[in-house]
């Protein structure tokens, strides 16, 4: 027995179509940027005109509408939270554990690390200079004892890489096992805090017989609300950010970054952008030269990834000249960079564990 009037099928169909049409128009007209600050990627472009040879308009349309759905960041956050709660984490680029948002475990072998060290040794021999390599234990590895058994096992796979490094006399163990991860890593980013960078700075200067300046001898600034790459890769909502702290020599330093000259190493205006870590050195560059004529040391050549960006302003207090090469943005090989820099007094390699063993640009350019 019917207890009420039912909606006629025609009205239900028309209403459903109107709802879908309205949502589609809303998605098209909803104001959005072409770049997602939260996810650090460009959103899908509008579909092109249909092609008679390639049938992909439906895929382009689907991707475009998925990226333009109103309040999309909220839906992404809900989906990411659901993956964490259910234990799936299948599509997350990083995940929360032990009070931080962490990069995924580094998957590689100790043999790759040994091969890279042999390449570094050959390059340092060509330079005729003493050398060091800094590869900090990852944030997740340092926190593994605070994780559940499944996650802990995954991060313990990195042990083989660090074991190979520890056996090399040129390895600078700046963050030994047992280091308080909360002091040397941000909660929302995989880079060092200022304290972590200072530990690396002190290790380099002591090995080279140079003075180690305390942090209060530098010009220091801080920028609250920092949300780093691990947070954005996770898709999780921002509940609270970090405070990024910076230090640079108080005066006398100049920087040439890919042809642009600056009289500073810290760029406060970048703290308000999606890439807050770019406060250091105005971001990543292929070749960066830092000059400090009053420093006690000579020329330091640094092969690096972004891990060294917070370290270089500290080292600028001790070296008259620093030439830093980032293989991801430098067009030439490591050997060509050495030729371009000329005579050096010391060579330093600074890489995350993942860059050391898995970055193809480092592997390829270090070999030539």
């Amino acid at each position: 027995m019917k207890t009420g009037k039912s909606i006629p099928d025609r009205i239900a169909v028309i209403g459903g179509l109107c709802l879908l049409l309205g949502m589609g128009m809303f998605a098209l007209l909803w104001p959005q940027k072409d770049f997602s600050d939260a996810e650090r990627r460009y959103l899908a472009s509008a579909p092109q005109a249909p092609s008679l040879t390639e049938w992909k308009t439906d895929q382009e349309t689907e991707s475009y509408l998925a990226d333009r759905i109103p309040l999309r960041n909220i839906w992404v956050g809900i989906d990411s939270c659901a993956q964490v709660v259910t234990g799936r984490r299948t599509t997350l680029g990083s995940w929360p554990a032990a009070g931080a948002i962490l990069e995924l475990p580094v998957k590689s072998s100790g043999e790759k690390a040994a091969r890279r060290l042999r390449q570094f040794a050959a390059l340092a021999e060509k330079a005729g200079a003493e050398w060091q390599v800094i590869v900090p234990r990852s944030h997740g590895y340092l926190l593994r004892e605070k994780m559940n058994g499944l996650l802990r096992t995954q991060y313990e796979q990195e042990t083989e890489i660090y074991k190979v490094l520890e056996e090399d006399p040129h390895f600078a163990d700046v963050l030994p096992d047992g280091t308080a991860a909360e002091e040397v890593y941000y909660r929302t980013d995989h880079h060092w805090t200022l304290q972590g960078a200072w530990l690396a700075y002190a290790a380099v200067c002591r090995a080279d017989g140079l003075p180690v300046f305390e942090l209060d001898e530098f010009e220091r600034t801080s920028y609250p609300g920092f949300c780093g790459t691990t947070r954005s890769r996770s898709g999780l909502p921002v509940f609270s950010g970090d405070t990024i702290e910076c230090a640079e020599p108080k005066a006398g330093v100049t920087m040439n970054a890919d042809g642009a000259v600056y009289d500073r190493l810290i760029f406060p205006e970048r703290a308000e952008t999606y890439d807050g870590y770019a406060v250091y050195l105005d971001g990543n560059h292929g070749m960066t030269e830092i000059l400090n004529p009053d420093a006690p040391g000579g020329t330091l050549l640094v092969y690096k990834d972004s891990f060294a960006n917070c370290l270089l302003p500290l080292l600028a207090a001790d070296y008259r000249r620093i030439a830093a090469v980032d293989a991801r943005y430098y067009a030439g090989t490591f050997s060509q960079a050495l030729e371009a820099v000329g005579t050096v007094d010391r060579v330093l390699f600074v890489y995350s564990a993942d860059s050391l063993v898995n970055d193809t640009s480092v592997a390829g350019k270090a070999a030539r």
Side-chain angles (χ1 to χ4, degrees), residues 117-366:
L117 289 175
R118 291 193 292 269
Q119 292 175 332
F120 292 170
L123 188 67
E125 183 178 359
K126 186 182 295 186
E130 291 295 322
W131 65 285
Q132 282 179 287
V133 58
I134 295 177
V135 181
R137 292 170 179 81
S138 71
H139 197 178
Y141 186 82
L142 293 181
L143 288 173
R144 66 193 186 283
E145 296 301 329
K146 298 182 179 181
M147 301 178 188
N148 61 54
L150 177 61
L151 289 182
R152 181 169 60 251
T153 300
Q154 293 190 56
Y155 282 102
E156 285 176 346
Q157 296 175 17
E158 299 179 10
T159 302
E160 185 180 350
I161 297 172
Y162 304 130
K163 183 178 180 181
V164 169
L165 291 167
E166 290 162 8
E167 293 173 351
D168 193 290
H170 299 93
F171 173 61
D173 198 357
V174 300
L175 301 181
D177 215 1
T179 300
E182 295 80 3
E183 295 182 10
V184 296
Y185 283 112
Y186 294 104
R187 291 181 300 104
T188 64
D189 193 78
H190 66 292
H191 293 107
W192 285 321
T193 61
L194 182 57
Q195 181 61 31
W198 185 87
L199 291 173
Y201 153 75
V204 174
C205 292
R206 289 184 183 123
D208 207 8
L210 295 172
V212 177
F213 297 102
E214 298 297 326
L215 284 175
D216 59 9
E217 298 180 74
F218 291 86
E219 183 74 29
R220 295 181 60 176
T221 51
S222 60
Y223 310 94
F226 171 59
C227 289
T229 54
T230 52
R231 204 291 305 173
S232 62
R233 290 173 188 166
S234 71
L236 295 169
V238 180
F239 295 109
S240 63
D242 290 296
T243 295
I244 189 168
E245 296 184 85
C246 305
E248 63 179 329
K250 293 183 177 180
V253 176
T254 58
M255 179 181 79
N256 184 324
D258 291 331
V261 180
Y262 306 91
D263 60 356
R264 53 182 173 146
L265 306 179
I266 304 301
F267 294 77
E269 64 272 19
R270 298 300 296 269
E272 301 298 325
T273 67
Y274 75 93
D275 186 12
Y277 188 72
V279 296
Y280 293 110
L281 310 180
D282 199 32
N284 296 309
H285 308 278
M287 175 74 81
T288 304
E289 184 179 47
I290 300 173
L291 302 176
N292 182 1
D294 297 326
T299 297
L300 174 68
L301 174 58
V302 184
Y303 293 95
K304 68 174 199 67
D305 62 7
S306 60
F307 244 90
N309 289 6
C310 60
L311 172 60
L312 295 183
L314 298 174
L315 291 172
D318 282 77
Y319 288 93
R320 288 191 294 275
R321 181 190 182 205
I322 298 174
V325 180
D326 191 326
R328 298 168 300 172
Y329 305 96
Y330 184 71
T333 65
F334 279 22
S335 293
Q336 289 171 334
L338 175 60
E339 293 175 2
V341 173
T343 303
V344 300
D345 298 293
R346 195 170 191 83
V347 181
L348 176 65
F349 301 90
V350 184
Y351 290 104
S352 67
D354 188 45
S355 292
L356 180 77
V357 295
N358 293 323
D359 191 321
T360 56
S361 62
V362 174
K365 294 180 180 182

